[in-house]
Amino acid sequence: MLSRIKQSLKKPKVMILMAILFALVLWFALCLPRQLFSSPTSFVIDDDAGQLLGASIATDGQWRFPYNGDVPEKFSKCIIAFEDKRFNSHGGFDPLAFGRAIKQNIKAKRVTSGGSTLTMQVIRLSTHHNRTVWNKLGEIFMALRLEVTYSKSEIMALYASNAPFGSNVIGLDAASWRYFGRGPDKLSWGEMAALAVLPNSPSLVHPGKNRQILLKKRNQLLDKLYHRGTIDSTTAALAKFEPVPEKPMPLPQMAPHLLQRFKADFHDHKTPFTRLKTTLKSNLQGQVTDILEKHHQVLKANEINNIAAVVLDVETGATLAYAGNIAHREDPEMESDVDVVNAPRSPGSTLKPLLYASMLHDGLILPNSLIPDVPTQIAGYHPENFDLGYDGAVPASNALSRSLNVPAVKMLQQYKYERFYDKLKKIGITTLKQPADHYGLSLILGGGENTLWELTGAYADMARVLNHYNKTANYDPEDYHAPVYALSPKEKPTAEKNGLLDAGSIFYTLQAMEEVMRPGEEMLWQQFSSTQRIAWKTGTSFGFRDGWAIGITPKYVVGVWVGNTDGEGRPGLTGIHTAAPVLFDIFRLLPSAREWFDVPTGEMVKINVCKESGYRAGPNCKHAVEQLVPKSGLKAPVCPWHKLVHLSADQKFQVTGNCTSPDNIVNRAWFVLPPSMEYYYKTKNYQYRTLPPFAPGCEQAEANPMELIYPKDGAKIYVPLEADGKRGRLICNAAHRQSGVKIFWHLDDKYIGESSAYHQMALNPSPGKHKLTLVDANGNTLQINFEVLDKNK
């Protein structure tokens, strides 16, 4: 028997038949492409609850949303009742429906029905075949193959995502939003029935005579649903009263700039899909947009056209609101399509908190260490405070809360700009494209370029590090990361004992930032227990081109930018006047709480701090107070400005052992600032006591009591021309420790005048190198060299 079968298999006809059979089986196995649908899809973003925020049309001009595997039950029941009532029982091909279609076509003498199942329609939609007999046979086999590979729910999802719904609308999701302005899960039976009949006759959606045909087909489907027991008679009757869709509606555009960013990230291969569930909260997004629009109405009167804001969740860095600009596309001058959240701009003073925290972290200062605030010129760089005034010396925390420029530059000079540049890179700032030397000390005053996205993220990093340290007493390097607009699985935290910035330094930084006076409130907010505690910082770029405000609470960070996208500066365009009011309006939308960051006691130590200078108390500091400071404060320098002075018995004069008996000398510790600092400091601090003068006949044993505030030795100065075309004057400033003493001024060894109370002298030097010599009444001499630049060279 076996040998007879073997012989029959060797016959040519059988072999050919076997080969054909094998080819058919192989074709059946491989007839489906790996990817059924490859047409371009729209870019779609949803909020955190899955509601549509915005979408853009696909590159082929179709509104085609990406595949959605969740098909509403209403649609499944409607389309099955209308198109394929045995969908759940057949294997891809329905002989009864196919036979009925052939009978109808013969009777009508034309093709009136194809008898295609939903599975076959999925195949036709994916292959775009013409309706021929051979193509129909191919569809049948491919539909059978599809049923082997896919579940019924997956086949239904493929159909719902790719069926035509009239005009340039493809797929149920796009159709639901285009025709009813809602997602398909929110549609009624009448609305869903109207959509279910469209793929069969997509042209019915156009206005005109087709309205009645569409209405009739919709109602017939509702009757079918009633007779099948899917809906009751009341539901069917009420659904028939619902209108059928008119013309397509515009899709929501609640976050157009985030959609634009999402498309860019997709093209940069940062995200693999064209639909994304974002972290945005649509209610908050709408409220933030409304606030920006309200403020824009006022700002545009001053020709300030653009405004942007982001709201971040501290714990995750998730973006809760993303308003990249105002939305006035009807006015091209507004340039509202520009996403300013991600645009590099001059950050003004917004990097100062990071420098303050870095200096605390490295033990270079304590929270209230005095920082020089005097006219300064460093290698031709001449920073000035916003109010053009000087305090002589100011506590570091106060310099931060008041956003003083000169102390910030002095701090960066001490910290080294190269070191701060590297720190910013480690924190996650990527926009500094030039080497550190390109920015120099101007880096701290907005000489670089940063984005609202990264700056707001850096502030959120600080809050996150502090929150996590207070929970775990450890640091996680992953706490420093850019903001995100879509959540991904959280990695297991890595515990380290030392962080990029320690919790104590961050705590004192936020504490200083909380002391900033809010616009229009003059500290009154502190009297209301329900008012939210906020640490915040403003920034204004050179030329009044950018206004910034960023605020921090334990749960949220809000960042605001105001300006013109073309970089045009405007008078009054400052962070405090333009961006800060927006910041606090947005914070009022967020859950208000008086809770604040816990004190990170594990990173704090108690040390004696000099009350006058804010440095570690030394042996000559008589007014030491015990203070909690970051542990790094143990490395901070001892107060450099307390020294032991020798006074006469009545303490009215300084004396030396050369002119007074040691028995008549009184030794006292004295707080003494350098002359230039003292000159300004004593005018703002009435409790400061200058040193008594030396007694007559006593040799002066101290260093030069004079200091030239401006210009400094080696300075290169440009003296501008006045309105009348004549060269302007150079105003020189000096300080003398002994009040009332005369200073005699000499330019290039020629006497030019004297000063006594206020040591200022107006000079009119010619271009070139010069020597300035100062001699006081006691014979002390001070000499510096400077150069006046020639504009024509």
Side-chain angles (χ1 to χ4, degrees):
M1 181 71 179
L2 187 61
S3 60
R4 192 178 299 168
I5 293 173
K6 287 181 179 180
Q7 286 178 356
S8 62
L9 288 174
K10 290 180 181 180
K11 292 180 180 179
K13 289 183 179 180
V14 175
M15 291 180 68
I16 292 171
L17 188 63
M18 291 291 290
I20 293 172
L21 186 62
F22 177 76
L24 285 173
V25 171
L26 186 63
W27 176 83
F28 183 77
L30 303 176
C31 65
L32 286 183
R34 183 171 295 179
Q35 184 179 351
L36 274 175
F37 295 93
S38 58
S39 299
T41 57
S42 301
F43 287 91
V44 183
I45 54 173
D46 301 314
D47 71 1
D48 63 333
Q51 290 304 300
L52 185 67
L53 286 171
S56 66
I57 200 163
T59 54
D60 62 355
Q62 305 293 312
W63 286 106
R64 183 189 295 105
F65 285 13
Y67 169 79
N68 186 354
D70 297 322
V71 180
E73 187 179 3
K74 283 181 185 176
F75 181 76
S76 295
K77 289 185 174 180
C78 285
I79 200 68
I80 288 172
F82 187 74
E83 287 281 359
D84 188 0
K85 62 184 179 182
R86 283 178 289 276
F87 172 74
N88 289 315
S89 58
H90 65 62
F93 172 64
D94 186 353
L96 294 177
F98 196 72
R100 188 190 66 248
I102 291 174
K103 192 188 251 185
Q104 289 174 350
N105 293 339
I106 292 173
K107 189 175 181 181
K109 297 182 180 179
R110 61 186 178 89
V111 177
T112 60
S113 174
S116 296
T117 62
L118 288 174
T119 314
M120 292 168 64
Q121 291 184 49
V122 169
I123 296 299
R124 187 171 67 250
L125 290 170
S126 68
T127 58
H128 306 289
H129 283 161
N130 295 321
R131 291 190 176 186
T132 66
V133 174
W134 290 108
N135 286 340
K136 179 69 76 174
L137 289 174
E139 282 176 16
I140 292 172
F141 279 99
M142 292 175 75
L144 294 173
R145 176 66 181 84
L146 189 66
E147 292 274 354
V148 173
T149 310
Y150 292 81
S151 66
K152 289 290 185 181
S153 61
E154 288 173 328
I155 293 170
M156 178 62 73
L158 285 170
Y159 177 82
S161 296
N162 295 281
F165 283 84
S167 186
N168 61 343
V169 180
I170 305 294
L172 175 64
D173 275 3
S176 179
W177 281 101
R178 288 289 280 161
Y179 298 135
F180 296 107
R182 297 191 301 283
D185 55 322
K186 301 286 195 305
L187 297 186
S188 66
W189 279 106
E191 291 166 334
M192 194 66 87
L195 289 184
V197 303
L198 280 178
N200 185 267
S201 302
S203 60
L204 293 182
V205 80
H206 293 291
K209 61 180 182 180
N210 293 337
R211 317 292 329 128
Q212 290 304 314
I213 302 175
L214 176 58
L215 187 66
K216 182 180 177 182
K217 282 200 169 194
R218 191 274 311 266
N219 291 346
Q220 287 174 344
L221 175 55
L222 289 171
D223 289 336
K224 277 188 181 180
L225 293 171
Y226 166 64
H227 291 305
R228 288 169 67 97
T230 304
I231 58 176
D232 57 35
S233 59
T234 304
T235 302
L238 290 173
K240 288 180 182 179
F241 283 109
E242 295 180 24
V244 291
E246 297 276 341
K247 59 183 179 181
M249 302 169 63
L251 294 181
Q253 291 294 331
M254 293 189 66
H257 300 96
L258 183 60
L259 177 63
Q260 179 180 317
R261 180 177 192 143
F262 171 53
K263 290 170 69 174
D265 286 347
F266 175 83
H267 293 306
D268 289 342
H269 307 291
K270 294 178 181 177
T271 177
F273 305 109
T274 60
R275 184 163 195 164
L276 186 72
K277 182 178 180 181
T278 70
T279 56
L280 266 64
K281 296 185 177 297
S282 54
N283 285 342
L284 181 63
Q285 176 74 12
Q287 290 171 319
V288 169
T289 302
D290 290 343
I291 285 175
L292 298 196
E293 183 59 35
K294 181 185 75 173
H295 284 271
H296 178 253
Q297 294 302 317
V298 177
L299 292 168
K300 70 179 182 180
N302 188 25
E303 296 181 23
I304 300 172
N305 295 332
N306 305 103
I307 183 169
V310 289
V311 181
L312 303 182
D313 173 71
V314 166
E315 176 61 26
T316 59
T319 309
L320 307 180
Y322 188 112
N325 208 333
I326 45 93
H328 286 264
R329 290 179 178 80
E330 74 284 353
D331 186 352
E333 287 188 7
M334 295 292 107
E335 295 188 347
S336 56
D337 285 331
V338 177
D339 179 9
V340 190
V341 169
N342 205 33
R345 308 286 301 197
S346 167
S349 298
T350 53
L351 295 177
K352 288 176 182 175
L354 296 171
L355 175 61
Y356 178 77
S358 298
M359 293 196 73
L360 288 175
H361 175 79
D362 289 356
L364 297 175
I365 59 170
L366 295 180
N368 296 310
S369 295
L370 283 181
I371 307 296
D373 182 23
V374 295
T376 301
Q377 189 164 29
I378 305 167
Y381 181 54
H382 180 51
E384 292 181 320
N385 293 325
F386 189 77
D387 62 2
L388 302 180
Y390 301 95
D391 283 21
V394 63
S397 61
N398 195 245
L400 175 59
S401 63
R402 291 171 57 195
S403 196
L404 297 175
N405 291 340
V406 174
V409 171
K410 290 285 190 183
M411 289 167 69
L412 185 57
Q413 186 183 26
Q414 181 185 354
Y415 190 77
K416 307 301 181 190
Y417 64 79
E418 300 91 344
R419 187 178 178 187
F420 185 56
Y421 177 90
D422 290 339
K423 177 80 80 170
L424 292 176
K425 293 280 189 179
K426 290 175 182 176
I427 287 172
I429 302 298
T430 65
T431 50
L432 298 173
K433 303 298 185 184
Q434 303 297 328
D437 288 340
H438 174 81
Y439 305 107
L441 294 174
S442 71
L443 183 62
I444 198 60
L445 301 185
E449 52 281 330
N450 298 96
T451 65
L452 184 63
W453 182 251
E454 288 189 349
L455 275 178
T456 309
Y459 278 53
D461 293 342
M462 288 197 291
R464 190 180 308 117
V465 168
L466 185 51
N467 283 343
H468 287 177
Y469 178 84
N470 285 328
K471 290 179 182 177
T472 65
N474 284 305
Y475 297 97
D476 181 1
E478 297 303 317
D479 281 342
Y480 292 93
H481 62 76
V484 295
Y485 56 84
L487 289 179
S488 54
K490 193 173 181 180
E491 295 182 9
K492 188 177 180 181
T494 305
E496 293 183 356
K497 286 297 179 185
N498 299 306
L500 196 57
L501 292 172
D502 68 88
S505 299
I506 293 173
F507 179 81
Y508 272 108
T509 301
L510 299 182
Q511 191 175 57
M513 292 167 66
E514 191 193 6
E515 294 171 4
V516 182
M517 189 171 69
R518 301 184 183 185
E521 298 191 6
E522 299 176 356
M523 305 303 280
L524 293 176
W525 64 273
Q526 293 179 335
Q527 300 174 18
F528 300 96
S529 60
S530 62
T531 303
Q532 207 167 18
R533 296 180 67 181
I534 302 168
W536 62 293
K537 184 74 188 71
T538 60
T540 304
S541 68
F542 178 77
F544 303 101
R545 292 181 174 90
D546 307 89
W548 302 76
I550 305 177
I552 307 174
T553 70
K555 291 185 177 178
Y556 305 104
V557 175
V558 176
V560 177
W561 174 91
V562 174
N564 288 311
T565 55
D566 61 4
E568 180 186 356
R570 296 298 303 162
L573 204 173
T574 63
I576 190 70
H577 290 118
T578 61
V582 183
L583 178 86
F584 289 106
D585 276 357
I586 293 175
F587 265 116
R588 290 185 189 102
L589 300 173
L590 303 174
S592 182
R594 290 288 295 173
E595 65 183 52
W596 193 238
F597 297 95
D598 294 331
V599 179
T601 51
E603 286 284 49
M604 300 284 207
V605 291
K606 280 188 176 181
I607 63 171
N608 287 327
V609 176
C610 181
K611 186 177 180 181
E612 290 90 348
S613 70
Y615 281 90
R616 278 199 306 133
N620 294 322
C621 183
K622 300 304 180 187
H623 300 102
V625 292
E626 195 175 54
Q627 199 176 78
L628 261 180
V629 300
K631 281 182 179 178
S632 54
L634 293 170
K635 302 182 293 184
V638 173
C639 174
W641 294 317
H642 272 90
K643 67 178 185 178
L644 204 62
V645 297
H646 310 300
L647 304 176
S648 59
D650 60 5
Q651 300 189 21
K652 291 183 178 180
F653 296 98
Q654 292 186 68
V655 295
T656 67
N658 296 332
C659 62
T660 305
S661 168
D663 295 337
N664 294 325
I665 294 177
V666 177
N667 296 319
R668 281 197 56 187
W670 206 283
F671 177 50
V672 185
L673 291 172
S676 60
M677 292 169 64
E678 182 181 85
Y679 174 75
Y680 294 97
Y681 188 79
K682 65 186 179 184
T683 64
K684 301 285 183 75
N685 299 272
Y686 66 89
Q687 75 279 11
Y688 181 80
R689 295 179 60 198
T690 57
L691 281 171
F694 277 91
C698 277
E699 180 185 352
Q700 186 169 321
E702 69 163 353
N704 199 329
M706 282 188 297
E707 185 176 345
L708 198 61
I709 298 172
Y710 183 80
K712 294 294 186 183
D713 191 29
K716 293 184 178 181
I717 302 163
Y718 171 67
V719 181
L721 299 178
E722 300 289 355
D724 59 4
K726 295 181 180 178
R727 184 178 295 277
R729 290 179 175 270
L730 171 65
I731 307 299
C732 300
N733 243 338
H736 200 291
R737 193 177 300 286
Q738 191 173 339
S739 61
V741 72
K742 287 186 177 180
I743 294 180
F744 304 96
W745 298 70
H746 304 78
L747 181 64
D748 300 327
D749 297 326
K750 292 181 181 179
Y751 174 74
I752 52 175
E754 66 179 58
S755 60
S756 54
Y758 295 100
H759 298 295
Q760 283 189 345
M761 188 61 62
L763 307 180
N764 191 11
S766 60
K769 295 183 178 180
H770 298 277
K771 179 173 69 175
L772 184 62
T773 307
L774 279 64
V775 182
D776 71 2
N778 298 320
N780 297 296
T781 302
L782 181 66
Q783 183 175 294
I784 66 111
N785 295 292
F786 67 95
E787 182 181 357
V788 175
L789 301 176
D790 189 348
K791 182 184 177 182
N792 298 320
K793 291 186 178 180

